[in-house]
Amino acid sequence: MMVQLVFYVFATILVGSAAMVITARNPVHSVLFLILAFFNAAGLFLVAGAEFLAMILVIVYVGAVAVLFLFVVMMLDIDFTRMREGLQRYAPIGAIVGCILFVELVMAGLHWGMSPVMPAPITGGLGQVGGAATNTGALGNLIYTHYFLLFQLCGIVLLVAMIGAITLTLRDRPMGRRQIISRQHARKRAETLEMMTLPLGQGTDDNGGFIRPHGSYYDTAVPGSYGIPASENRAKDSREGDAE
Amino acid sequence: MADFFFHTLAGQLILMLLETLAVLVPLLIGVAYLTLMERKVMAAMQMRRGPNVNGIFGLLQAFADAIKMITKETIIPTGANRFLFLFAPFLTFSLAMTAWAVIPTGNGLAVANINVGILYLLAISSLGVYGMLIAGWASNSKYAFLGSLRSAAQMVSYEVSIGLVIVSVLLAVGSLNLNDIVLAQRHVWFCVPMFPIFILFFISALAETNRAPFDLPEGESELVAGFFVEYSSLSFGLFFLGEYANMILMSAMVSILFLGGWLPPLGIAPLTWIPGPLWLIAKILFCLFVFIWTRATFPRFRYDQLMRLGWKVFLPFSLLWMIATAGFLLATGLLPQGVS
């Protein structure tokens, strides 16, 4: 009785918030409803006695994936009235994709079967400690013993996706300031500080009024960073400035 | 009487309510006095006196602050999303309270002694970022928004290394239950054989709770006060309470994972007379002292240094340590056999 009630509460909120994800006008609200939907799905897992899956769903999807969603959506500046213009034109394609996905889901649901190596399902849920096999243990046994190859292949797919994303966004040009930590650590006092005696009322005009010791980080930094012109005779100029 | 409490639904509900209050009331009083402790300890370290006007040793200062905060006016900025603006502090506060359901204060003494306790803690702490993100976005303010983006990136980055450190500990325990994690430290606390990742976990805890030297989301010199610039009165108070409750929670996690939870340092007579909850409180207080000590000692990190530390130092090291732990346990045959 109690379990049914809890199930229907979670299920109703889940379906409702899923509907709100696609109908909310503000994209940030959409993502927040998506998070609510994830959360209620985790609640359904708990009702089913799969506490490990529930916690992993919250940690991975709510705690990491949805945070990045929210991050991107908050920073985007999209004109949503313009995006809605194409709605009429693309609606049939969207409907076809939706139908295909729905049919696939139904087919997968009809041919659902339990693995022969799977231990008997453990129900009981969050409150129970110990027992013959916790579902965390059962899941670990299945993934890391019986389906190890598939698990590794999933890992490789993710790795490829990660490397692809990095390759697409990595640009090998000095953007703004670049620092080389090891060089900063190895820096000595003599490279950064030099006591000079200049005639009173006269400074230097080199480098916009700054004199830097020979071989300082300014000289050896990545050309183009720190606003330094990447010219060859720059180091020579500053040294001449020192000598005067 | 006992029959009523343990065998009827109403009795069980009342019992659960009482258990919850038994955890939350000391926690809230603890939060109130943590603010006083912070001010007093920092004052001592900087050769000042700290609050000393209200009550003996300033003991009533926390309540004076609370009354001041409650009686102030709630201001909602123009253009702010009203519902989300007020929802964010409640979320932060209630999450900080919810996490305490699984913390064991003695052998089996937890409101909910669940199988996946440590994952529950990780899940709740990963939700904490939403309070900040929503607050920053709903305030309709640039400072608040920048602060919330910073804090979100920071918390997500350090959660990765926290997760890997927890996995290393779990390898040595063989259970996700917090009670089992403490009981596995009967002979030696995990801070001894796993000292490097104990330090790493502590530093990550500092970053996760946005404490100095990683308090960039607040960054008062550049972002005024970060994600809660626009908040005042009770809504600010809830953020404040949530932040300090999170500090106590992370200290409790450090105590349970590495300092033996409620266990005394040695299982000999005079030490075992002191009840378990007092040991846990003592360890939490020690961790909190180090939190405050750190704040009084170190200057704030630069943001790129913070990210570099998280991703290029902590993440590889904790990953390496996890593999080394697994290899060592497997080679020596010490790997705990799970229940299945």
Side-chain angles (χ1 to χ4, degrees):
Chain A
M1 175 58 200
M2 196 68 187
V3 175
Q4 273 92 337
L5 191 71
V6 173
F7 171 80
Y8 280 115
V9 168
F10 278 132
T12 315
I13 300 175
L14 174 59
V15 173
S17 54
M20 286 304 286
V21 173
I22 47 174
T23 53
R25 290 200 170 266
N26 191 329
V28 174
H29 291 175
S30 285
V31 178
L32 292 176
F33 275 116
L34 183 67
I35 292 160
L36 188 64
F38 281 148
F39 210 77
N40 282 284
L44 285 182
F45 273 130
L46 275 190
V47 173
E51 73 265 12
F52 182 75
L53 283 181
M55 293 303 158
I56 290 296
L57 186 72
V58 173
I59 293 171
V60 175
Y61 282 90
V62 181
V65 174
V67 169
L68 297 181
F69 267 18
L70 202 58
F71 225 83
V72 173
V73 169
M74 277 178 175
M75 290 203 284
L76 285 181
D77 190 24
I78 311 173
D79 186 7
F80 280 93
T81 48
R82 227 189 61 215
M83 270 183 71
R84 279 175 211 284
E85 282 170 8
L87 197 66
Q88 295 288 327
R89 202 146 35 99
Y90 296 120
I93 302 172
I96 291 169
V97 172
C99 283
I100 292 172
L101 279 178
F102 183 71
V103 169
E104 280 177 351
L105 269 181
V106 170
M107 282 165 68
L110 288 179
H111 298 278
W112 192 263
M114 284 291 178
S115 161
V117 288
M118 171 91 175
I122 300 113
T123 51
L126 203 61
Q128 294 188 345
V129 177
T134 59
N135 65 48
T136 315
L139 204 64
N141 195 22
L142 269 182
I143 293 176
Y144 294 109
T145 310
H146 298 287
Y147 292 101
F148 186 64
L149 182 66
L150 290 175
F151 176 73
Q152 293 262 296
L153 287 175
C154 288
I156 289 173
V157 169
L158 285 176
L159 183 68
V160 169
M162 190 177 85
I163 294 172
I166 292 172
T167 329
L168 283 176
T169 50
L170 187 71
R171 289 175 201 177
D172 196 21
R173 63 185 165 89
M175 302 198 321
R177 294 183 170 187
R178 268 267 191 92
Q179 55 178 349
I180 300 156
I181 304 286
S182 54
R183 189 186 284 165
Q184 286 184 346
H185 283 302
R187 202 168 70 154
K188 297 264 169 18
R189 186 180 165 188
E191 296 169 28
T192 52
L193 194 68
E194 190 174 11
M195 298 305 288
M196 310 186 82
T197 44
L198 289 173
L200 202 65
Q202 290 174 33
T204 172
D205 290 331
D206 296 321
N207 290 322
F210 288 104
I211 301 177
R212 290 184 177 80
H214 171 57
S216 72
Y217 190 71
Y218 181 84
D219 287 333
T220 52
V222 179
S225 65
Y226 285 99
I228 304 167
S231 61
E232 286 299 311
N233 54 354
R234 174 177 49 82
K236 199 171 77 277
D237 285 351
S238 68
R239 217 171 308 142
E240 281 168 7
D242 288 0
E244 279 170 16
Chain B
M1 193 68 183
D3 201 50
F4 169 72
F5 278 127
F6 290 108
H7 296 293
T8 62
L9 188 67
Q12 280 173 349
L13 282 178
I14 291 171
L15 200 65
M16 188 159 278
L17 193 72
L18 288 177
E19 279 174 355
T20 315
L21 285 180
V23 174
L24 290 191
V25 171
L27 174 65
L28 287 175
I29 294 173
V31 167
Y33 278 100
L34 175 59
T35 60
L36 183 70
M37 173 181 162
E38 176 165 37
R39 292 168 72 174
K40 276 289 187 188
V41 171
M42 293 254 298
M45 284 173 180
Q46 295 163 352
M47 300 175 86
R48 294 182 286 115
R49 295 212 172 179
N52 60 355
V53 176
N54 297 316
I56 319 155
F57 305 120
L59 282 177
L60 296 175
Q61 183 66 41
F63 298 100
D65 285 344
I67 291 167
K68 184 203 80 173
M69 207 169 272
I70 290 166
T71 49
K72 279 185 153 184
E73 184 191 356
T74 307
I75 300 166
I76 298 178
T78 330
N81 189 318
R82 280 184 79 94
F83 174 74
L84 288 180
F85 185 79
L86 294 175
F87 175 68
F90 281 101
L91 183 72
T92 307
F93 177 74
S94 50
L95 283 176
M97 299 290 120
T98 318
W100 279 86
V102 293
I103 300 288
T105 49
N107 196 355
L109 264 180
V111 176
N113 184 13
I114 60 176
N115 265 335
V116 287
I118 192 77
L119 286 181
Y120 175 85
L121 279 183
L122 213 58
I124 294 292
S125 78
S126 71
L127 285 178
V129 76
Y130 285 108
M132 295 172 188
L133 262 181
I134 294 173
W137 182 77
S139 304
N140 194 28
S141 153
K142 288 182 181 62
Y143 288 129
F145 188 56
L146 283 173
S148 72
L149 289 184
R150 275 189 182 185
S151 77
Q154 176 176 334
M155 288 181 76
V156 169
S157 310
Y158 278 85
E159 239 154 49
V160 182
S161 59
I162 282 191
L164 286 172
V165 169
I166 287 176
V167 170
S168 307
V169 172
L170 293 180
L171 278 173
V173 177
S175 168
L176 295 171
N177 186 312
L178 288 170
N179 211 42
D180 294 349
I181 291 175
V182 174
L183 286 179
Q185 303 179 56
R186 263 166 314 190
H187 305 299
V188 59
W189 294 356
F190 284 142
C191 69
V192 177
M194 298 189 175
F195 189 71
I197 58 164
F198 165 58
I199 299 295
L200 198 149
F201 186 84
F202 192 84
I203 298 172
S204 300
L206 287 176
E208 187 76 5
T209 47
N210 295 331
R211 288 286 300 179
F214 305 110
D215 55 346
L216 288 136
E218 289 179 39
E220 67 271 0
S221 51
E222 29 182 335
L223 290 181
V224 196
F227 60 89
F228 51 66
V229 206
E230 305 292 344
Y231 283 88
S232 60
S233 176
L234 198 60
S235 50
F236 172 77
L238 286 177
F239 267 125
F240 197 73
L241 285 176
E243 199 167 297
Y244 278 81
N246 269 333
M247 265 171 73
I248 305 182
L249 178 72
M250 289 312 275
S251 304
M253 269 177 84
V254 172
S255 312
I256 285 169
L257 287 173
F258 291 101
L259 298 176
W262 70 81
L263 295 172
L266 293 168
I268 50 173
L271 293 175
T272 48
W273 293 344
I274 302 171
L278 287 185
W279 278 116
L280 184 67
I281 290 171
K283 286 164 188 174
I284 290 176
L285 279 178
F286 171 74
C287 291
L288 287 173
F289 177 77
V290 183
F291 266 67
I292 297 166
W293 189 9
T294 318
R295 182 179 168 194
T297 310
F298 291 109
R300 185 178 293 147
F301 264 53
R302 216 170 56 210
Y303 197 71
D304 59 319
Q305 291 172 332
L306 170 91
M307 281 298 167
R308 179 181 165 271
L309 187 71
W311 289 103
K312 292 188 176 172
V313 181
F314 281 8
L315 179 61
F317 184 77
S318 52
L319 197 61
L320 198 72
W321 187 273
M322 188 189 85
I323 293 167
T325 311
F328 176 79
L329 290 173
L330 198 66
T332 51
L334 289 170
L335 198 67
Q337 294 302 312
V339 275
S340 88

